[in-house]
Amino acid sequence: MTAAPRSSLFKRMRGQKQLMLMSLPILLYVVLFAYYPIWGWTMAFQKWRPGTPFSQQEWVGFKHFKFLFKDDTFLLVLRNTIGMSLINLVLGFVTAIVFAILLNEIKNKLYKRSIQTISYLPHFLSMIIVTGIVANALSVDGGIVNVVLMKLGFIHEPIMWLSKPHYFWGIVGVSHVWKEVGWNAIIYLAAITSIDPSLYEAAEIDGANRYKKMLHITLPGIKSIVIILLIMNLGWVMDAGGFEMQYLLGNGVVVDWSQTIDIFVLKYGLQIGNYSLATAAGIFKTVVSITLIFAANTIAKRFGEDRLI
């Protein structure tokens, strides 16, 4: 019973040896740059000192992990990370889905392609350029946001947007949507094109208008893609959309609202030199992300939906 499957496996491997050889460089790349560095996680359980041999490092167990959950600064950056991640997740998903559905309803192909091209161009801008544009748009001295709001009569004097802590999360969320909405909508547009056109024709014969067709055909037709992408994006909840935007837009006034776990790791790992504490924070982030992926996948399985794993 076991010999037959093994011989069949080796036979398939011999028959696909060209493909296996082609995939070998990718496998080596993943092992070298994704799995081998995990060895560095041992620093989180040591009082790691640069230049000291591994055998002479002092092992401290879970001391750094215990310190993290007692440290007010880490709890603050954890709150900021989760808050900004949820804002980015909700805004990113909703805007991308709505934008893709509305864009699909445009009948003029030239107009449709022009809007789609313009919408995903910001994705290719570097984060330093994006934050520079955001900072200029929110500037007190001639920033377009303040100018427009004053012209419309919503405000009577310019607002220092980047100096108001309670505005920071919203600024990051809106900036993230502006940069990525067009790019994120591409996969939903591709999923919409796979929907059987006869469904729209039958709905039109039954008297359904555009909004009913979007609600009862388009949305259910891309539900599986939405669920899979949601599961994948839950793995990045502890990422807060990266640390570049928060790091570049943040300042001393909003530091309690702008710092994320990645900035915490950068600060303690490179600037202060407490590599063990920074590694412990990174491990915590990774473990939570993996747990969220498996939890979301299990929930999707129980409800009979498509799943990632």
Side-chain angles (χ1 to χ4, degrees):
M1 293 294 293
T2 58
R6 286 181 181 177
S7 62
S8 178
L9 174 63
F10 287 124
K11 185 177 181 180
R12 289 199 304 270
M13 291 175 64
R14 285 196 301 269
Q16 299 179 4
K17 58 183 179 181
Q18 293 86 356
L19 295 176
M20 296 182 67
L21 288 174
M22 290 174 61
S23 63
L24 186 60
I26 305 299
L27 179 62
L28 291 175
Y29 174 83
V30 172
V31 171
L32 288 175
F33 294 98
Y35 288 97
Y36 179 73
I38 294 178
W39 171 256
W41 279 12
T42 55
M43 289 192 297
F45 306 96
Q46 301 171 337
K47 186 178 180 181
W48 195 78
R49 292 168 294 173
T52 304
F54 180 80
S55 59
Q56 298 178 14
Q57 298 288 351
E58 179 185 352
W59 292 87
V60 296
F62 291 93
K63 175 183 176 181
H64 299 297
F65 292 94
K66 294 177 181 177
F67 175 80
L68 283 177
F69 295 103
K70 294 179 181 178
D71 183 38
D72 293 336
T73 301
F74 181 75
L75 296 177
L76 197 64
V77 301
L78 179 60
R79 180 206 67 178
N80 297 340
T81 302
I82 295 175
M84 281 184 275
S85 293
L86 291 177
I87 290 174
N88 290 340
L89 181 65
V90 174
L91 286 180
F93 254 85
V94 173
T95 54
I97 293 171
V98 172
F99 180 71
I101 293 175
L102 295 179
L103 193 61
N104 183 66
E105 293 297 316
I106 298 177
K107 303 305 179 183
N108 188 313
K109 291 185 178 180
L110 178 61
Y111 186 59
K112 178 180 178 179
R113 290 175 181 174
S114 300
I115 294 178
Q116 186 177 0
T117 302
I118 294 171
S119 67
Y120 68 65
L121 282 178
H123 171 79
F124 299 99
L125 297 178
S126 67
M127 193 58 70
I128 188 68
I129 295 176
V130 170
T131 53
I133 294 173
V134 172
N136 286 332
L138 299 176
S139 174
V140 177
D141 186 15
I144 188 172
V145 174
N146 280 317
V147 170
V148 171
L149 292 178
M150 290 178 67
K151 291 289 185 181
L152 295 175
F154 290 110
I155 59 176
H156 300 290
E157 59 182 11
I159 298 176
M160 300 178 64
W161 297 99
L162 295 176
S163 297
K164 303 288 185 180
H166 53 283
Y167 289 152
F168 191 83
W169 291 5
I171 292 172
V172 170
V174 172
S175 302
H176 180 77
V177 167
W178 169 73
K179 186 177 187 299
E180 302 294 345
V181 64
W183 183 260
N184 292 337
I186 292 176
I187 192 168
Y188 297 115
L189 285 168
I192 291 173
T193 58
S194 66
I195 299 175
D196 188 356
S198 62
L199 296 176
Y200 293 100
E201 294 172 1
E204 189 171 355
I205 293 173
D206 290 339
N209 56 28
R210 275 191 173 187
Y211 300 104
K212 288 184 178 180
K213 286 188 284 187
M214 286 188 287
L215 182 62
H216 298 290
I217 299 177
T218 307
L219 278 176
I222 64 174
K223 183 178 67 173
S224 59
I225 298 297
V226 172
I227 292 174
I228 290 174
L229 290 179
L230 179 61
I231 294 173
M232 293 177 64
N233 279 274
L234 282 175
W236 299 98
V237 164
M238 303 302 291
D239 190 63
F243 78 97
E244 296 96 337
M245 186 172 293
Q246 293 87 341
Y247 184 76
L248 295 170
L249 289 179
N251 54 67
V253 180
V254 298
V255 65
D256 289 341
W257 291 77
S258 64
Q259 287 199 30
T260 62
I261 292 179
D262 288 333
I263 298 177
F264 180 88
V265 170
L266 175 67
K267 176 181 177 182
Y268 281 87
L270 296 180
Q271 296 179 0
I272 298 180
N274 193 341
Y275 301 101
S276 296
L277 185 63
T279 304
I283 291 176
F284 168 77
K285 172 185 171 182
T286 302
V287 170
V288 171
S289 299
I290 294 174
T291 302
L292 287 173
I293 290 178
F294 278 97
N297 191 77
T298 302
I299 293 172
K301 181 179 179 181
R302 289 188 176 181
F303 282 93
E305 301 292 345
D306 293 328
R307 52 192 186 275
L308 184 63
I309 304 172

